Amino acid sequence: MAEIADAAPAIDADAVDATPAPPAIDVSAPAEAPAAPDALDAGPSRIATVADEEEELAAEAGVLVDAAAGEAPDGAVNGAADGTTAGADGTGAEPASEPTAGDVDMNEAGEAGEEAAAEPAEPEDACETLYLQNLNEKVRLSVMKETLALLFKPYRPVLPVVAHRNLRMRGQAFVSFADTGAALRAKRDVAEFPLYGKAISISFARTRADAVVAKLEDADGVAAHKAERLARKKEMRRSNPLRQKQRAKLKAGAEEPAEPLAKKPRLQVPDEYLPPNSVLFLQNLAEGTTADDLRDVFGQHPGLVEIRTIPAKRDIAFVEYADEGSATAAKDALHNFKIDGETKMKVTYAKK
């Protein structure tokens, strides 16, 4: 042992006294963490220290306690997104603060605006029945009705689809729905749809269809609706400008006696252009000419059959030959012949 002690280096007491002593640590004061460079100007440190039982319970609950004020900072949450804060005793959660009146009004106004944008305002002439025009007239009526029923099926129409064959209602139809909201959606979605090569034109009907009234009202309501519809139809016909004009003309004609219609002159074909036949017609005969005088003249031509005079009119007579050729020869020879030497006789073919 003496050797070990001799071998150990000697320690200078002055050197020991010159060594600086470590700084004293005050265990009673809480340790402060160094502030981050960006947080130097942000106020006091938010690092919590456990100073008493209340702070310890709050720390267990997950709430950082302000070391200066000794209470939970504003907006501290219990690690959850439900907006609840831990109580001071750490045993329960309190509901988050309610929104202000201004926030509620803004939210309600926003929701109302969205609903208004989603559902357009209902027009004044809205009706449960839609009036369809510009339908393809070449498609059979039964096929068109089935197609329209399938086209409007998503909007739950009230069947049947109404369409007519008459000329005035061609290319038109009526489709009814349970309420005006369904009719409005159907009108907005199906308008201008190209059906069989023609775009459908849709508008609201003037009145509800009988099928809709029968579904929504009782028998008395249906009867009243039909009576009102017929009365409106009569009024529209009475106020039609064309019918009013015709009625005015009839009334004026009844008040003023109509002028008698002048008889149209009968068109007569000149005797010279009558078709050939076996009977000759004699005109402008001299006064006192008898059948024997005519037989002496016309008997010179073969085929004479008969000579007929008219007692009431002495200046005309008929001469009949056996055939058309004999009559033509006599006509050509005796036309403008003077039986009495002064008056020319006119000879033509008789009318059949």
Side-chain angles (χ1 to χ4, degrees):
M1 293 295 290
E3 294 176 357
I4 295 174
D6 296 337
I11 299 175
D12 190 357
D14 297 332
V16 173
D17 294 335
T19 303
I25 300 175
D26 187 2
V27 296
S28 62
E32 294 182 1
D38 297 337
L40 292 177
D41 299 332
S45 173
R46 310 287 288 186
I47 303 300
T49 58
V50 181
D52 51 18
E53 183 179 357
E54 183 179 354
E55 294 181 359
E56 182 179 359
L57 292 175
E60 289 179 359
V63 179
L64 299 179
V65 181
D66 192 343
E71 58 184 7
D74 295 339
V77 295
N78 190 14
D82 55 357
T84 60
T85 58
D89 56 356
T91 58
E94 297 179 358
S97 60
E98 297 181 356
T100 62
D103 296 337
V104 174
D105 294 340
M106 292 181 65
N107 293 338
E108 292 179 354
E111 293 177 359
E114 292 178 358
E115 292 179 357
E119 194 70 24
E122 189 173 288
E124 296 180 358
D125 62 342
C127 179
E128 295 90 343
T129 303
L130 295 180
Y131 175 45
L132 279 59
Q133 295 175 282
N134 198 37
L135 301 177
N136 196 328
E137 301 178 7
K138 297 181 180 180
V139 180
R140 287 187 301 173
L141 194 62
S142 59
V143 177
M144 180 61 72
K145 288 183 178 180
E146 294 177 0
T147 305
L148 291 175
L150 292 175
L151 181 62
F152 288 96
K153 186 176 181 180
Y155 310 97
R156 298 181 181 180
V158 178
L159 300 179
V161 176
V162 180
H164 301 284
R165 298 179 181 274
N166 55 36
L167 182 62
R168 189 172 64 89
M169 294 301 296
R170 283 184 182 177
Q172 307 168 50
F174 295 89
V175 183
S176 301
F177 300 87
D179 52 50
T180 55
L184 183 61
R185 291 192 300 271
K187 178 179 180 297
R188 182 181 63 242
D189 297 343
V190 186
E192 302 300 329
F193 180 82
L195 183 63
Y196 295 117
K198 299 183 71 175
I200 304 178
S201 177
I202 304 179
S203 60
F204 289 108
R206 295 178 180 175
T207 58
R208 296 187 297 176
D210 294 346
V212 176
V213 178
K215 184 176 181 180
L216 301 178
E217 301 183 8
D218 54 3
D220 295 338
V222 174
H225 169 74
K226 289 184 177 180
E228 182 182 357
R229 178 167 55 81
L230 292 177
R232 187 184 300 105
K233 191 174 183 179
K234 287 183 178 180
E235 181 62 25
M236 290 178 62
R237 288 181 176 178
R238 190 179 297 110
S239 60
N240 190 322
L242 295 178
R243 288 180 176 270
Q244 290 180 351
K245 189 175 182 180
Q246 292 178 353
R247 197 178 297 112
K249 286 184 177 180
L250 292 176
K251 187 176 180 179
E255 294 177 355
E256 298 179 1
E259 297 180 359
L261 297 177
K263 293 184 178 180
K264 294 182 179 180
R266 187 176 180 180
L267 184 62
Q268 295 182 354
V269 180
D271 297 339
E272 292 80 4
Y273 298 99
L274 292 175
N277 61 82
S278 59
V279 180
L280 299 177
F281 179 47
L282 310 181
Q283 301 179 66
N284 197 28
L285 295 176
E287 185 178 356
T289 303
T290 62
D292 294 336
D293 297 336
L294 295 176
R295 185 174 290 105
D296 294 340
V297 175
F298 286 91
Q300 299 176 5
H301 300 276
L304 179 62
V305 175
E306 183 184 5
I307 295 177
R308 298 188 297 273
T309 59
I310 307 299
K313 298 187 71 173
R314 298 285 184 178
D315 60 338
I316 62 174
F318 293 93
V319 178
E320 183 178 356
Y321 282 88
D323 52 31
E324 182 180 316
S326 300
T328 301
K331 170 183 173 297
D332 294 340
L334 299 175
H335 180 58
N336 290 331
F337 180 76
K338 299 177 181 179
I339 295 180
D340 61 352
E342 294 180 359
T343 307
K344 292 182 179 180
M345 178 179 59
K346 184 178 180 180
V347 181
T348 59
Y349 293 110
K351 296 179 181 178
K352 290 184 179 182

